[in-house]
Amino acid sequence: MEICLNNAVENITGQLQIWRRDFHKYAEAGWFEFRTATLVADELNRLGYQLQLGKEVIDADSRMGLPSAAQLAVQEKRAITQGALIEWLPHFSGGFTGIVATLDTGKTGPTLAFRVDMDALDLNEELTNQHRPHAEGFSSCNSQMMHACGHDGHTAIGLGLAHILKQYQSQLTGRIKIIFQPAEEGTRGAKSMAKAGVVDDVDFFVAIHIGTGVPKGELVCGSNSFLATTKFDVTYHGKASHSGAKPEEGKNALIAAAQATLGLYGIPRHSEGSSRVNVGVLNAGIGRNVIPDHALMKVETRGETNEINEFMYQQAINIIEGAAKMQDVKADIKLMGAAQSSHASPQWVDFIARLAQNKIPELTSVVKNRPEAAGSEDATYFMERTKTLGGQATYMIFGTELSAGHHNERFDFDENVMPVAVKTLATIALSLPEYGADHHE
């Protein structure tokens, strides 16, 4: 099987690069993945997968950080001009850009799910010849949208895996789902898909990422490095007034925001684990001689556990609301994103590690766990939902060389990581019967 699988992956390696570079060129930020989603759906449909699309896999009320209806409409029109497939677009219209593709083998067995994400960042890409995507003609053509985290590669890996699994359908058992998730950046999209029940029937779950500081050739089989997080916007509404003639009639939103910002950084750290707070954006006022009547803060809290993050969040809300009372202004707080902390299932990680060590010679190092706390990931909603219902879950990272760090305008990765990822994920699916039903938690 291994020789045949090698050949099958080698045969699609060129196509993986074509897909990746196409998605990179037409990068689409979260909830705007209209072109990407239509192309992915069309390819999966051509392969014969059972598809659930849009509102079938996204709970509308659980979406976070959703752009306005006007913004969504503008981006939908943009996607059409850039090659979005009209016949598929109604499924995704209005920011319902999620896809679940299912391969039912017709044979008894567990349900295995893989998650890949599709969205780009709100970032302008570097356009110099020192940056390979620009030099080779596939840099993003969309302003303030760039694949600077590798999700273009993830989407290509998902499509490549779909091709391989279809070729090997006769050797597979149970059901396999490939989840193409929108709006991972800002941790906005997974909760709505988990709420829609897309992993409620899943026995084994795998989310993937490339890079993240892991060396080329190394595979992390179970990352436990994700902090729980809450991301929210605060808008202070005050009252404008002439700063010279009638300052007493004004209600200063800027001062409220400034006081809140300083207060947030004074939240005590928690004794039971890592905690974070950050104000990433602070905008206020309109003129030198006007009492500022509005201010916007973009804030996030993080914690090593859900409980620590909740402590940080509640402390932050107290400070924000207290600052509003001090200046007699109103504070509107809007949830923009969230993720949980999560730990990979140890037995599932052990199984994947053994497979990788024995069957994927392209990997030079296999690491079971990456324990250090760093960023956040909303795949944790899928992981925790799967585990709560008795299944097992993990988060895998495929190491690769990077031209610059994630979320950087010069980000690029070694495309040779994509066929390695496809082969590894396909091997998991083909080897699942070896795991045995007795490992189902």
Side-chain angles (χ1 to χ4, degrees):
M1 181 188 77
E2 186 173 333
I3 294 175
C4 293
L5 182 58
N6 284 339
N7 291 337
V9 173
E10 184 177 346
N11 288 338
I12 66 164
T13 295
Q15 184 61 55
L16 290 172
Q17 184 187 82
I18 291 170
W19 283 325
R20 181 262 164 153
R21 294 189 173 200
D22 178 76
F23 296 139
H24 191 96
K25 183 173 183 177
Y26 297 100
E28 297 177 301
W31 302 123
F32 293 151
E33 307 95 332
F34 299 113
R35 180 185 184 275
T36 304
T38 64
L39 296 179
V40 168
D42 192 66
E43 184 71 16
L44 294 168
N45 181 65
R46 189 179 67 79
L47 290 171
Y49 278 78
Q50 300 171 15
L51 296 184
Q52 294 173 284
L53 308 172
K55 293 179 181 179
E56 294 179 295
V57 296
I58 291 178
D59 179 72
D61 295 335
S62 300
R63 291 177 296 173
M64 293 181 284
L66 187 69
S68 69
Q71 291 172 312
L72 289 164
V74 167
Q75 292 301 323
E76 196 169 329
K77 290 179 181 177
R78 184 267 314 152
I80 293 171
T81 67
Q82 294 178 348
L85 302 177
I86 302 296
E87 61 269 30
W88 293 103
L89 199 53
H91 294 284
F92 308 117
S93 184
F96 290 91
T97 45
I99 300 169
V100 177
T102 301
L103 179 63
D104 191 338
T105 68
K107 289 175 280 187
T108 301
T111 297
L112 169 64
F114 298 99
R115 188 227 63 171
V116 295
D117 39 22
M118 300 186 292
D119 58 319
L121 283 146
D122 299 328
L123 185 68
N124 281 323
E125 186 160 10
E126 180 172 300
L127 303 178
T128 69
N129 286 333
Q130 287 70 47
H131 181 53
R132 184 181 63 154
H134 180 71
E136 298 187 14
F138 65 97
S139 56
S140 176
C141 64
N142 291 325
S143 176
Q144 285 290 310
M145 296 186 198
M146 177 195 171
H147 275 294
C149 200
H151 297 188
D152 49 346
H154 300 169
T155 306
I157 289 166
L159 288 178
L161 177 63
H163 273 255
I164 299 298
L165 294 179
K166 195 64 181 176
Q167 291 178 47
Y168 281 82
Q169 183 171 347
S170 64
Q171 299 180 40
L172 297 166
T173 59
R175 300 168 77 243
I176 302 172
K177 304 173 90 169
I178 307 177
I179 301 167
F180 291 83
Q181 182 205 316
E184 188 283 322
E185 299 296 353
T187 58
R188 296 178 289 160
K191 183 179 181 180
S192 64
M193 296 191 82
K195 187 75 172 178
V198 302
V199 295
D200 284 6
D201 60 344
V202 170
D203 301 294
F204 301 100
F205 175 85
V206 174
I208 69 159
H209 211 296
I210 60 173
T212 72
V214 176
K216 180 180 180 180
E218 182 169 297
L219 172 66
V220 178
C221 301
S223 181
N224 295 327
S225 62
F226 301 118
L227 301 173
T229 186
T230 305
K231 303 179 189 299
F232 55 99
D233 289 353
V234 180
T235 304
Y236 285 109
H237 301 281
K239 180 181 178 182
S241 183
H242 195 288
S243 61
K246 293 287 184 180
E248 73 281 3
E249 293 184 0
K251 295 181 180 181
N252 199 316
L254 184 154
I255 293 179
Q259 289 173 324
T261 298
L262 293 174
L264 289 172
Y265 286 98
I267 296 174
R269 295 302 174 254
H270 205 286
S271 63
E272 295 183 5
S274 297
S275 58
R276 307 280 193 273
V277 65
N278 190 57
V279 179
V281 173
L282 175 55
N283 293 324
I286 56 172
R288 187 187 307 276
N289 60 349
V290 181
I291 301 296
D293 67 344
H294 67 274
L296 170 67
M297 302 168 62
K298 296 191 175 185
V299 189
E300 67 172 17
T301 61
R302 301 186 196 235
E304 190 169 331
T305 65
N306 295 332
E307 292 75 18
I308 294 172
N309 179 59
E310 182 63 20
F311 165 81
M312 296 296 292
Y313 176 69
Q314 290 301 331
Q315 291 291 312
I317 296 303
N318 290 341
I319 290 166
I320 288 162
E321 292 178 344
K325 290 180 180 178
M326 290 172 67
Q327 298 302 323
D328 193 21
V329 299
K330 180 182 178 183
D332 288 333
I333 301 170
K334 182 179 180 182
L335 181 65
M336 300 301 290
Q340 298 177 294
S341 62
S342 186
H343 293 276
S345 303
Q347 291 177 319
W348 184 221
V349 170
D350 288 345
F351 174 71
I352 292 171
R354 288 195 300 272
L355 279 182
Q357 289 166 343
N358 295 331
K359 297 188 177 184
I360 314 295
E362 295 88 345
L363 297 170
T364 57
S365 175
V366 176
V367 178
K368 286 187 180 180
N369 286 294
R370 186 191 191 196
E372 68 274 14
S376 303
E377 232 291 4
D378 67 352
T380 50
Y381 279 107
F382 294 128
M383 294 174 67
E384 289 304 294
R385 181 64 177 168
T386 299
K387 293 194 298 178
T388 297
L389 295 176
Q392 299 184 39
T394 193
Y395 192 101
M396 297 173 60
I397 303 173
F398 294 88
T400 181
E401 292 179 350
L402 303 175
S403 62
H406 291 261
H407 298 207
N408 185 289
E409 65 272 13
R410 296 185 301 277
F411 178 88
D412 190 22
F413 63 88
D414 182 350
E415 292 170 329
N416 290 319
V417 71
M418 294 189 293
V420 175
V422 170
K423 181 181 177 181
T424 304
L425 300 179
T427 299
I428 292 171
L430 288 161
S431 304
L432 192 57
E434 300 173 18
Y435 193 41
D438 57 326
H439 285 86
H440 185 61
E441 291 180 341

